[in-house]
Amino acid sequence: MNTLLYSSSHVSQIQILYPGRILPSKYYLTPWTADEFSRLISLEPLPSSSALLELTGFSAKVAEFYSKVDLQGNILSLGAGHSTVEIHCVNHQPSIRSIYCVDIAPYMDELSRLIPPKSSSKLHFLKTSIFDEPKLLNLVGPAQFDTIMINQVIYTLSDRELSNLLDLSEKLLKPGGSIYILCTSLKKPRTTLYSLWVTAKILLGERRFKPIGILRSPSHLIKIFKRHPRFQVIEVKSELPISYKLVLKA
């Protein structure tokens, strides 16, 4: 069962996108569309150099997770955003040869000039959609990566989009390579009572909530993963609500 995830995220950006517009209650009961995501991302400012080195909230938990993983060789991060975690990994794990950070955010072309010189030789930033398979394969080539990171991304994807991303990852990984799928979204859908309470608030005029993605149960996630028989699915113990490792069978 899929349940919409209600969140107050990006409300200020909505007001910028739709100035002076009173949106109907129904709008707040629908997930973000791909166009809305793209428009919201276009509003994100270029981070400062200090912000790129500051681990907070989700990024701190993810960086701690990867500090316990022996990362080596070439790594691809899909939906990397500010790439704070990736910068931290490069600075603390010398066995990493390179990390390619992929995101559609407008600042991706500028990140290379903001990172410390000691990190710059191993980090590469690609401004493109994580679903643009022809472009990604052309830029980096097939079977080039030992590890793929998918951090705080899956809650924004439909089941089909997640499955397509795994198809692409299979083409980009070396045999025996791994995907790490991490997310802070709750494992289990929110209770019916909670959903009814949120819905009532929206219908009564509350304008703080907007579903930005999907909550899936562990069994539902594993069902999607197992549609890809070349991957061995491993649930990794961690402090994160969702942490899976998918190993591409040789």
Side-chain angles (χ1 to χ4, degrees):
M1 175 181 177
N2 294 349
T3 302
L4 293 177
L5 170 63
Y6 293 97
S7 172
S8 56
S9 298
H10 293 124
V11 169
S12 59
Q13 284 94 328
I14 290 177
Q15 294 168 348
I16 295 173
L17 286 176
Y18 305 103
R21 180 178 173 187
I22 300 176
L23 297 167
S25 297
K26 182 180 179 182
Y27 171 80
Y28 291 86
L29 293 170
T30 59
W32 292 100
T33 65
D35 179 64
E36 285 175 334
F37 266 121
S38 297
R39 295 181 68 188
L40 289 171
I41 290 171
S42 71
L43 296 173
E44 292 185 11
L46 180 69
S48 64
S49 297
S50 59
L52 291 177
L53 301 177
E54 185 179 357
L55 294 170
T56 59
F58 170 76
S59 63
K61 292 180 180 179
V62 174
E64 182 181 0
F65 175 92
Y66 284 124
S67 70
K68 301 172 184 177
V69 177
D70 184 21
L71 295 173
Q72 299 185 25
N74 298 319
I75 298 171
L76 177 68
S77 181
L78 296 173
H82 290 173
S83 308
T84 304
V85 169
E86 292 76 6
I87 294 170
H88 183 271
C89 288
V90 161
N91 289 340
H92 291 83
Q93 300 208 43
S95 296
I96 294 175
R97 185 178 301 115
S98 67
I99 300 184
Y100 285 76
C101 305
V102 178
D103 203 285
I104 200 171
Y107 49 72
M108 293 304 289
D109 293 335
E110 302 292 327
L111 288 182
S112 57
R113 67 178 178 83
L114 296 177
I115 60 176
K118 68 175 183 177
S119 309
S120 59
S121 63
K122 292 186 175 183
L123 285 164
H124 309 273
F125 301 100
L126 305 178
K127 180 186 172 185
T128 188
S129 167
I130 61 175
F131 298 110
D132 193 339
E133 180 175 321
K135 186 173 182 180
L136 280 173
L137 288 172
N138 181 59
L139 287 171
V140 300
Q144 294 297 311
F145 296 98
D146 301 279
T147 301
I148 291 178
M149 298 175 172
I150 302 177
N151 303 325
Q152 197 69 344
V153 171
I154 65 169
Y155 74 96
T156 68
L157 307 179
S158 68
D159 287 1
R160 176 175 291 183
E161 288 170 332
L162 176 55
S163 190
N164 289 343
L165 197 59
L166 294 178
D167 284 336
L168 173 58
S169 298
E170 185 176 324
K171 296 173 183 176
L172 295 168
L173 276 175
K174 297 177 181 178
S178 301
I179 306 173
Y180 286 96
I181 297 176
L182 309 179
C183 197
T184 57
S185 298
L186 298 175
K187 280 186 177 180
K188 298 179 180 179
R190 298 183 189 271
T191 64
T192 301
L193 181 61
Y194 178 86
S195 297
L196 289 173
W197 173 74
V198 171
T199 302
K201 292 189 71 173
I202 294 170
L203 295 176
L204 290 172
E206 176 63 64
R207 292 291 190 266
R208 293 189 304 107
F209 294 97
K210 169 73 174 172
I212 58 171
I214 294 173
L215 291 176
R216 299 178 178 92
S217 66
S219 60
H220 189 100
L221 272 176
I222 291 173
K223 182 179 179 181
I224 296 172
F225 298 156
K226 288 189 173 180
R227 293 174 187 165
H228 304 267
R230 289 196 64 198
F231 285 116
Q232 176 189 0
V233 181
I234 303 169
E235 184 170 8
V236 184
K237 291 184 178 180
S238 76
E239 295 183 3
L240 295 165
I242 294 174
S243 50
Y244 289 92
K245 178 181 180 180
L246 277 60
V247 180
L248 183 63
K249 299 172 186 177

